[in-house]
Amino acid sequence: MRVPDADLFNPQSIMDSDFSPGGASASASVDPDFGFAFDDSNFSDRTLRIEIMPDLPETKSDGGGCCSIADWARNRKRRREDFKKENDFIGQSEEQILNCNLPYTVDGVTYENQDEEAMAMVEESPSDIGLNSNQIGNDSIYNNDSSKNMDCSKVLRVKTIHISSPILAAKSPFFYKLFSNGMKESEQRHVTLRIHASEETALLDLLSFMYSNTLSTTTPTALLDVLMAADKFEVASCMRYCSRLLRNLPMTCESALLYLDLPSSVLMADAVQPLTDAAKQFLAVRYKDITKFQEEVLNLPLTGIEAVFSSDDLQVASEDAVYDFVLKWARTHYPKLEERRGIFATRLSRVIRFPYMTCRKLKKVLTCIDFDPELASKVVLEALFFKSEMPHRQRALAAEEANATYRRFVERAYKYRPVKVVEFELPRQQCVVYLDLKREECTHLFPAGRVYSQAFHLGGQGFFLSAHCNMDQQSSFHCFGLFLGMQERGSVTFAVDYEFAARSKPTEDYVSKYKGNYTFTGGKAVGYRNLFGIPWTAFMSDDSIYFINGILHLRAELTIRQ
């Protein structure tokens, strides 16, 4: 089959095309099964010698030794720490010794791979015999720098497998480069890999997959090990396969957090993106209402916090509450101010949607020591500019971020609806409050629901608006009502003149609907049960004059009485 517009001399163009496993045409073009040829000398042109080295001290096997995701994660973390200690020790020695962390190097060809447990890999050839090599039977291992830190005397066991270079090269850019590095074909009959004992099972499973396109293992820990090996040897089809199997397994908080904490080289792979997306979605749904899981969420790691607070469906009172919670989390997990400022600058500030915070809280951001002053000024100015935009422009900015990971301008499902407030001090203390409700939000109010606005302030006192679906005064039909309430503040009293207005067609100007005055005491509310003087069905009808492009625009003016 010919692949259109593909560079036949570039294996990556073939592997990344729509005809690759898991590509757009995967359902129409299935990779052939060469399982019958695995480790069969009749169908092989090379020999792969696998030298199994001991694991580092106190390191258990990641595969069979782990009975749960938690065990796998702990052992993997310990291995990373042990490798780091080993690297630090090597770095301090007088003689420079290159270790497994460095890129693979075979006869001058470098294979970049950033995984912290990269296997030492060397190429054998009969012509190397007698050239500074360690003799092992009839084979020779060329002593390049990448294998110097592995002592051949510590080899636990050796496995020899017959391999087909075309099959491996077709599935892996790593093996393609290895088998086409310029040596004469007749001199490249043997390849030696040195690995740790904990990697043995995963490597054998990976090699088998490259022939058969399937895996016999189904446990999460084993699949994760194969996924890591597939990333190491650039076998994208196996990464997709493991990712798909892991997605089909029951997800838990433990496993979701582990998938988001895989090494960066794995997380950056397109083949694993669906798995990480599923993990983020699981956490976002589980902790959708963070008020029910405050302690759990407070104990989540950074990747979990990012997944939860990046969700549009997060059920919170307001974005002010998001800011307060994220600040509390940062102070708990990053007690040092310098580290906390750094994590806000690079990660946490992106999950807070500052444009939907109240102006009173934005003022506090400017003076918050947890934020670098330059960052604080930037996010507050951006928020204020967004608030000053016309509604259609705000919707356009939100639409531009529809596919972004972090959506600054997209409104969440807040318990308290955001409002715009314009305040005046002279000639009298006054504020004008704008509340917009979507048609869907109004639909959900029927038959007896209500929605509250964020708090706004006048004369130092907090107020709020509430929209209701209720019965008219004669209890004969449902209707839309709007009320103004004052927050509970002891026995304080406030005399206020107020006016409710709404935009209506055809002029789309604000039209006054109700005026009144009231002396408020803490916790009291006043308003009009049937703001528009029509039944609920007429208010919600398709030809309603009060919905403009699906939005109900309400306005309340409050003035302190002298």
Side-chain angles (χ1 to χ4, degrees):
M1 181 181 294
R2 182 177 180 273
V3 180
D5 302 322
D7 181 359
L8 297 181
F9 295 96
N10 180 2
Q12 196 65 40
S13 67
I14 299 294
M15 294 178 211
D16 290 344
S17 71
D18 287 343
F19 295 88
S20 63
S25 302
S27 59
S29 177
V30 180
D31 274 5
D33 182 356
F34 293 114
F36 66 88
F38 181 58
D39 197 19
D40 190 323
S41 59
N42 295 318
F43 301 99
S44 305
D45 62 336
R46 300 175 192 270
T47 300
L48 177 65
R49 178 187 175 90
I50 304 175
E51 296 182 352
I52 315 300
M53 312 297 290
D55 283 327
L56 294 176
E58 300 181 2
T59 302
K60 299 179 181 179
S61 169
D62 285 347
C66 295
C67 59
S68 71
I69 283 283
D71 292 335
W72 190 97
R74 281 193 293 269
N75 290 336
R76 178 66 62 173
K77 181 178 180 181
R78 182 166 61 243
R79 290 188 63 184
R80 285 202 290 259
E81 292 171 349
D82 288 341
F83 269 99
K84 185 178 186 301
K85 292 176 183 177
E86 182 186 71
N87 296 344
D88 293 341
F89 174 77
I90 291 173
Q92 295 169 4
S93 64
E94 294 182 3
E95 180 182 0
Q96 182 182 9
I97 302 176
L98 302 183
N99 56 65
C100 298
N101 267 348
L102 298 181
Y104 302 117
T105 305
V106 181
D107 297 330
V109 181
T110 299
Y111 305 94
E112 293 292 342
N113 197 305
Q114 301 301 321
D115 188 76
E116 69 280 356
E117 299 166 36
M119 301 179 221
M121 193 285 306
V122 293
E123 178 80 8
E124 297 184 50
S125 91
S127 63
D128 288 331
I129 297 177
L131 297 177
N132 188 23
S133 60
N134 296 326
Q135 299 296 326
I136 303 180
N138 295 324
D139 298 330
S140 63
I141 303 177
Y142 186 72
N143 276 332
N144 59 31
D145 286 340
S146 65
S147 62
K148 284 184 180 179
N149 69 312
M150 284 194 175
D151 186 354
C152 294
S153 64
K154 293 183 179 180
V155 174
L156 297 178
R157 56 188 174 275
V158 175
K159 285 185 178 288
T160 301
I161 298 177
H162 299 286
I163 59 172
S164 169
S165 56
I167 292 177
L168 266 61
K171 290 295 184 70
S172 163
F174 174 87
F175 283 106
Y176 178 89
K177 295 171 187 175
L178 173 61
F179 298 141
S180 60
N181 62 3
M183 289 184 178
K184 294 182 180 179
E185 183 177 349
S186 61
E187 297 176 346
Q188 297 186 47
R189 301 300 92 202
H190 310 283
V191 178
T192 295
L193 297 182
R194 285 182 184 153
I195 64 173
H196 288 97
S198 57
E199 301 167 314
E200 177 183 356
T201 302
L203 175 59
L204 294 177
D205 285 341
L206 174 64
L207 292 172
S208 175
F209 176 89
M210 295 171 76
Y211 279 79
S212 63
N213 304 304
T214 189
L215 291 171
S216 58
T217 184
T218 57
T219 64
T221 55
L223 289 172
L224 282 168
D225 279 333
V226 177
L227 177 63
M228 303 283 280
D231 172 65
K232 188 173 299 183
F233 287 102
E234 306 175 59
V235 187
S237 58
C238 187
M239 294 182 73
R240 280 192 291 269
Y241 185 89
C242 292
S243 174
R244 185 169 64 252
L245 290 184
L246 288 168
R247 290 201 315 275
N248 291 336
L249 293 174
M251 188 85 72
T252 65
C253 289
E254 186 181 73
S255 61
L257 291 171
L258 177 59
Y259 300 152
L260 296 178
D261 196 37
L262 290 171
S264 58
S265 61
V266 178
L267 291 176
M268 293 174 65
D270 291 339
V272 184
Q273 191 66 47
L275 177 62
T276 56
D277 287 345
K280 292 176 182 177
Q281 180 64 20
F282 174 86
L283 292 172
V285 171
R286 175 175 175 80
Y287 298 115
K288 183 177 181 179
D289 186 353
I290 62 172
T291 58
K292 297 179 180 179
F293 305 97
Q294 289 199 39
E295 288 304 315
E296 280 190 55
V297 178
L298 195 61
N299 290 322
L300 288 176
L302 178 60
T303 52
I305 288 294
E306 289 179 312
V308 171
F309 286 97
S310 295
S311 171
D312 294 345
D313 298 323
L314 189 66
Q315 293 180 351
V316 287
S318 64
E319 197 66 29
D320 288 3
V322 172
Y323 169 81
D324 289 336
F325 192 96
V326 172
L327 192 60
K328 181 179 180 181
W329 182 91
R331 289 173 176 173
T332 301
H333 292 261
Y334 295 88
K336 293 182 179 179
L337 178 60
E338 184 177 350
E339 292 181 353
R340 196 158 63 247
R341 281 190 171 188
I343 207 67
F344 266 114
T346 57
R347 308 279 288 272
L348 287 180
S349 63
R350 297 181 297 185
V351 303
I352 302 173
R353 303 184 183 183
F354 293 95
Y356 291 99
M357 289 172 57
T358 63
C359 291
R360 289 171 67 89
K361 186 66 75 171
L362 288 174
K363 290 179 183 178
K364 294 183 178 180
V365 175
L366 289 174
T367 58
C368 180
I369 63 171
D370 302 78
F371 283 79
D372 179 84
E374 185 175 345
L375 173 64
S377 297
K378 177 180 178 296
V379 297
V380 170
L381 282 175
E382 183 179 67
L384 294 176
F385 277 122
F386 178 82
K387 289 177 179 293
S388 68
E389 294 281 7
M390 296 294 290
H392 74 276
R393 178 56 184 160
Q394 291 179 343
R395 290 192 292 270
L397 289 171
E400 290 173 5
E401 292 188 334
N403 297 317
T405 303
Y406 302 104
R407 291 134 67 91
R408 300 162 297 170
F409 303 127
V410 176
E411 191 174 330
R412 304 186 205 260
Y414 300 114
K415 180 179 179 181
Y416 300 118
R417 303 294 302 138
V419 292
K420 285 186 176 181
V421 183
V422 181
E423 298 182 45
F424 301 93
E425 289 292 332
L426 296 172
R428 290 192 296 172
Q429 283 188 303
Q430 182 184 37
C431 70
V432 183
V433 185
Y434 298 89
L435 172 65
D436 293 346
L437 297 176
K438 299 176 183 177
R439 179 183 284 272
E440 310 89 80
E441 293 173 313
C442 294
T443 299
H444 293 154
L445 292 178
F446 187 85
R450 62 185 62 188
V451 61
Y452 295 94
S453 77
Q454 291 180 352
F456 52 92
H457 292 78
L458 176 64
Q461 180 60 48
F463 291 87
F464 62 89
L465 293 174
S466 61
H468 297 229
C469 175
N470 43 227
M471 301 298 290
D472 74 333
Q473 291 181 336
Q474 286 75 39
S475 298
S476 55
F477 56 82
H478 288 88
C479 54
F480 180 88
L482 184 64
F483 295 83
L484 171 67
M486 189 174 81
Q487 292 181 318
E488 189 80 40
R489 282 288 180 88
S491 58
V492 66
T493 59
F494 244 71
V496 175
D497 291 327
Y498 62 94
E499 178 182 5
F500 295 154
R503 287 188 188 272
S504 61
K505 301 174 183 176
T507 63
E508 298 186 354
D509 292 330
Y510 280 102
V511 177
S512 178
K513 292 296 179 181
Y514 186 76
K515 288 184 179 181
N517 57 74
Y518 189 73
T519 300
F520 286 92
T521 56
K524 298 296 183 178
V526 66
Y528 200 61
R529 295 179 65 85
N530 189 356
L531 183 67
F532 301 114
I534 56 176
W536 183 265
T537 51
F539 165 67
M540 291 297 301
S541 66
D542 291 339
D543 60 353
S544 172
I545 64 173
Y546 297 108
F547 287 97
I548 301 172
N549 297 322
I551 303 293
L552 172 66
H553 300 272
L554 301 172
R555 185 185 72 190
E557 293 187 21
L558 283 70
T559 305
I560 295 180
R561 296 174 63 186
Q562 298 296 328

